[in-house]
């Protein structure tokens, strides 16, 4: 069985952290059963990909959760890189409609290089053997969708930028692994982001085998993401870790280990 993993090309979020590069902001690179997917290539994604000696030509898909610049800045350059400078059209680009329509973040000249799929609530698609579904539209300031990726070791859910709302937990129920963007310690209703207590509530309701917090704004960085993750582990009994730049987490397959006994 191939080992699956996520590598964080950044763990920063929010204006102050991203604009000052207090943490990198390149999104995350998934290798799921040998299928390579780049999720949310924010500023510096291309640079970090090369620093980590990953090969853009190995990518099978790029997915945008939404159009904000800390999630989409490098989408065009990464599309060119995935397609060998445009000479080898291939791969998928999966994005919400408002990334393609008015004031698009996906430039028209890269579009013929890839297979473009527009996300809508409930969309089920696949990249190679990996099944991907978008269970819910989150509550952010533009069209925002977080996928559930299904692969041999289980299901991985990604809760992108959103304010808390009760249906979120139900949409991600049953995932084995969960990545959550946690920008703030306290809520500011104007900017529609999860705070740390809401992240804890989601972890407690969804109860994955493991949760990874990322996309930290200044408030969370000041409060130590590691300390916050430990606190959530203590309160919920779920293993929670804080992402850091260049962190690689492997997804094991507990069932296949059981089969050895
Ligand atoms: Zn956003």
């Amino acid at each position: 069985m191939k080992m699956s993993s996520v590598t964080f090309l950044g763990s920063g979020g929010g204006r102050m952290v991203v604009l000052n590069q207090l943490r990198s902001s390149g999104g995350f690179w998934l290798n799921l059963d040998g299928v390579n997917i780049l999720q949310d290539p924010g500023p510096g994604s291309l640079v970090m990909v090369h620093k980590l000696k990953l090969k853009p030509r190995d990518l099978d898909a790029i997915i945008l959760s939404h159009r904000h610049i800390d999630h989409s800045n490098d989408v065009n350059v990464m599309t060119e890189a995935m397609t060998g400078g445009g000479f080898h059209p291939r791969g998928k680009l999966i994005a919400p409609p408002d990334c393609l329509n008015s004031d698009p973040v996906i430039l028209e000249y890269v579009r013929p290089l890839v297979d473009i799929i527009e996300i809508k609530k409930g969309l089920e698609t696949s990249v190679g053997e990996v099944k991907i579904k978008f269970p819910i539209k989150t509550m952010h300031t533009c069209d925002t969708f977080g996928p559930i990726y299904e692969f041999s070791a289980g299901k991985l859910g990604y809760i992108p930028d959103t304010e808390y709302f009760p249906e979120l937990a139900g949409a991600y129920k049953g995932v084995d692994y969960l990545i959550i963007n946690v920008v703030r310690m306290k809520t500011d209703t104007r900017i529609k982001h999860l705070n740390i207590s809401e992240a804890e509530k989601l972890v407690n309701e969804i109860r994955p085998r493991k949760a990874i917090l990322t996309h930290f704004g200044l408030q969370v960085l000041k409060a130590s993401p590691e300390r916050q993750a430990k606190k959530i582990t203590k309160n919920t009994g779920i293993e929670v870790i804080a992402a850091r730049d260049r962190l690689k987490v492997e997804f094991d397959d507990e069932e296949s280990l059981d089969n050895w006994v």
Side-chain angles (χ1 to χ4, degrees):
M1 194 195 74
K2 287 177 187 149
M3 187 51 89
S4 295
S5 63
V6 56
T7 301
F8 288 87
L9 308 176
S11 54
R15 282 176 185 78
M16 287 308 119
V17 171
V18 173
L19 299 180
N20 295 300
Q21 287 292 290
L22 303 178
R23 292 269 181 121
S24 298
S25 50
F28 53 86
W29 179 297
L30 296 163
N31 182 310
L32 306 176
D33 299 328
V35 173
N36 291 297
I37 299 169
L38 175 60
Q39 177 75 52
D40 285 357
S45 197
L46 177 69
V47 172
M48 190 58 104
V49 160
H50 287 290
K51 277 188 183 164
L52 293 174
K53 302 206 177 335
L54 295 164
K55 294 196 176 64
R57 288 285 299 274
D58 290 343
L59 280 173
D60 300 293
I62 299 170
I63 306 180
L64 301 185
S65 65
H66 66 295
R67 55 177 286 119
H68 287 161
I69 205 157
D70 51 337
H71 298 258
S72 70
N73 188 75
D74 277 14
V75 65
N76 296 298
V77 75
M78 287 309 306
T79 302
E80 276 217 350
M82 174 168 76
T83 57
F87 290 109
H88 304 281
R90 54 180 292 281
K92 293 184 177 177
L93 179 48
I94 304 171
D98 66 357
C99 293
L100 294 153
N101 302 330
S102 65
D103 189 20
V105 296
I106 297 171
L107 294 173
E108 290 195 2
Y109 90 91
V110 305
R111 298 184 192 187
L113 307 177
V114 281
D115 180 9
I116 291 183
I117 298 169
E118 280 189 40
I119 306 171
K120 55 180 190 293
K121 183 187 164 189
L123 171 74
E124 295 191 22
T125 184
S126 60
V127 178
E129 297 289 293
V130 178
K131 286 191 198 137
I132 300 173
K133 72 172 184 195
F134 295 86
I136 199 162
K137 183 175 182 178
T138 69
M139 293 179 72
H140 198 38
T141 52
C142 57
D143 292 350
T144 305
F145 301 88
I148 295 175
Y149 323 86
E150 195 176 334
F151 55 109
S152 63
K155 289 182 186 168
L156 165 67
Y158 168 46
I159 300 183
D161 294 4
T162 182
E163 67 180 16
Y164 181 84
F165 60 105
E167 293 80 14
L168 254 185
Y172 288 88
K173 201 88 194 160
V175 300
D176 301 279
Y177 306 97
L178 187 61
I179 295 174
I180 311 182
N181 287 355
V182 194
V183 177
R184 300 184 62 88
M185 294 300 291
K186 291 192 198 118
T187 296
D188 177 340
T189 48
R190 290 169 305 172
I191 55 169
K192 297 183 185 291
H193 279 297
L194 289 173
N195 68 34
I196 199 80
S197 341
E198 291 161 341
E200 176 173 325
K201 195 148 78 170
L202 287 168
V203 167
N204 199 33
E205 287 168 346
I206 299 168
R207 303 201 71 74
R209 277 156 56 187
K210 182 186 250 182
I212 309 169
L213 312 179
T214 189
H215 207 60
F216 306 125
L218 200 54
Q219 290 179 354
V220 185
L221 283 191
K222 282 183 177 164
S224 168
E226 287 73 25
R227 197 169 347 119
Q228 301 308 320
K230 270 191 198 142
K231 207 160 87 184
I232 299 178
T233 297
K234 193 165 155 250
N235 294 346
T236 62
I238 305 278
E239 185 191 354
V240 181
I241 60 171
R244 49 181 195 277
D245 297 348
R246 304 168 181 239
L247 175 74
K248 182 175 180 179
V249 178
E250 293 191 333
F251 302 113
D252 52 347
D253 184 344
E254 280 177 13
E255 275 170 52
S256 76
L257 287 178
D258 291 344
N259 292 340
W260 286 92
V261 186

